[in-house]
Amino acid sequence: MRGAVAGAEMELAGHECRIAGLRLMLDCSGAAFLPEESMLVVADLHLEKSAALARFGQMLPPYDSLATLARLEAAVKRLRPESLVLLGDSFHRADLVPEAGSPAAMILTRLADRVRFIWITGNHDPHHPADLPGESLGHLDLGGVRLRHEPEADGRPEIVGHLHPAARLATRAGMQRRRCFLASRERLLMPAFGCLTGALDVTDRPISDLGWGVDARAYLIAREAIHPVPFHALAVRR
């Protein structure tokens, strides 16, 4: 096990942080790896979003689920976790899942052969189909930290998704906007992993009003690296 964990950490293109003492490695795929638990955490895949939008006449190429799951499979192959936690809104609608026999469904099948799935319910998927691999939970408690979909003001340290954070930073090359993790000592807000998801600026009130403290950092995701930036140094969207 120690060798596998060390190998996975060497494969990370990211940054280490701790939430209430729980060690995480933030990966540039948008996933978080917990080495001691051999666990990979992702949030907000929003699978089958294009199919859901098509029901309302908004026609988009129907490849979002395949692209998202291909990225997830690549992260699993590279980091080699034993379990995979999906922090809610894994499906854009609870009644829409990749069609049996489709390339996206085949990736799910392959992943189920490699890792134990733990599906956390979200506001888009408050229940999961009974035939999904693994188990479906409202939340998962791990080392005093609660893994759940939405942030809650109940005083618990938490790892959450739901808000799809992105951050803006003024650089010599101009203003840069990137998906990001946002972390304080007691909370990690995960970026959306899905390829067809929007993003909310971390300085907008739904995120900033959560209360982050002077030690909060945004971890901006670039193609091959993660860049930690103090929360106060981020550009405010105007």
Side-chain angles (χ1 to χ4, degrees):
M1 176 63 71
R2 290 182 182 272
V5 168
E9 292 190 40
M10 290 178 64
E11 294 290 334
L12 281 159
H15 207 283
E16 178 177 332
C17 78
R18 291 181 183 268
I19 306 298
L22 186 66
R23 187 166 77 104
L24 304 100
M25 308 297 293
L26 308 181
D27 186 59
C28 63
S29 66
F33 181 65
L34 284 65
E36 282 71 28
E37 290 75 18
S38 189
M39 177 180 288
L40 194 67
V41 181
V42 295
D44 297 280
L45 273 63
H46 284 271
L47 299 175
E48 298 299 287
K49 183 174 181 178
S50 63
L53 295 177
R55 293 188 174 185
F56 298 97
Q58 187 174 350
M59 307 305 292
L60 296 170
Y63 307 121
D64 55 302
S65 294
L66 178 59
T68 296
L69 289 171
R71 288 179 51 238
L72 181 59
E73 185 176 38
V76 168
K77 286 181 177 179
R78 179 165 52 88
L79 301 172
R80 304 188 295 280
E82 295 178 1
S83 58
L84 174 64
V85 178
L86 302 104
L87 288 181
D89 286 4
S90 301
F91 302 94
H92 195 68
R93 287 179 55 131
D95 60 340
L96 284 175
V97 299
E99 183 178 353
S102 68
M106 292 172 65
I107 294 178
L108 279 175
T109 298
R110 290 199 299 268
L111 285 172
D113 289 337
R114 298 179 69 110
V115 296
R116 170 192 174 215
F117 276 87
I118 302 173
W119 305 88
I120 305 298
T121 54
N123 57 295
H124 278 264
D125 52 358
H127 56 84
H128 296 125
D131 59 349
L132 281 178
E135 57 186 318
S136 177
L137 302 172
H139 63 263
L140 175 67
D141 289 328
L142 189 64
V145 178
R146 177 157 288 186
L147 283 67
R148 53 190 170 194
H149 179 59
E150 296 188 45
E152 294 187 21
D154 59 4
R156 291 178 181 269
E158 60 183 6
I159 299 173
V160 294
H162 182 59
L163 292 173
H164 304 196
R168 294 158 54 87
L169 183 67
T171 72
R172 293 179 180 178
M175 191 66 68
Q176 303 292 318
R177 187 174 189 264
R178 297 286 186 271
R179 292 185 308 138
C180 69
F181 301 87
L182 184 59
S184 67
R185 294 179 181 177
E186 302 293 315
R187 177 187 290 124
L188 174 66
L189 179 59
M190 298 279 295
F193 197 87
C195 71
L196 199 58
T197 53
L200 181 66
D201 197 281
V202 298
T203 62
D204 286 352
R205 293 191 63 179
I207 296 179
S208 64
D209 283 359
L210 290 172
W212 291 94
V214 296
D215 63 327
R217 288 179 176 267
Y219 294 85
L220 280 64
I221 301 172
R223 181 171 298 178
E224 297 180 353
I226 285 183
H227 303 283
V229 179
F231 189 83
H232 63 78
L234 299 171
V236 177
R237 188 167 67 89
R238 302 186 185 280

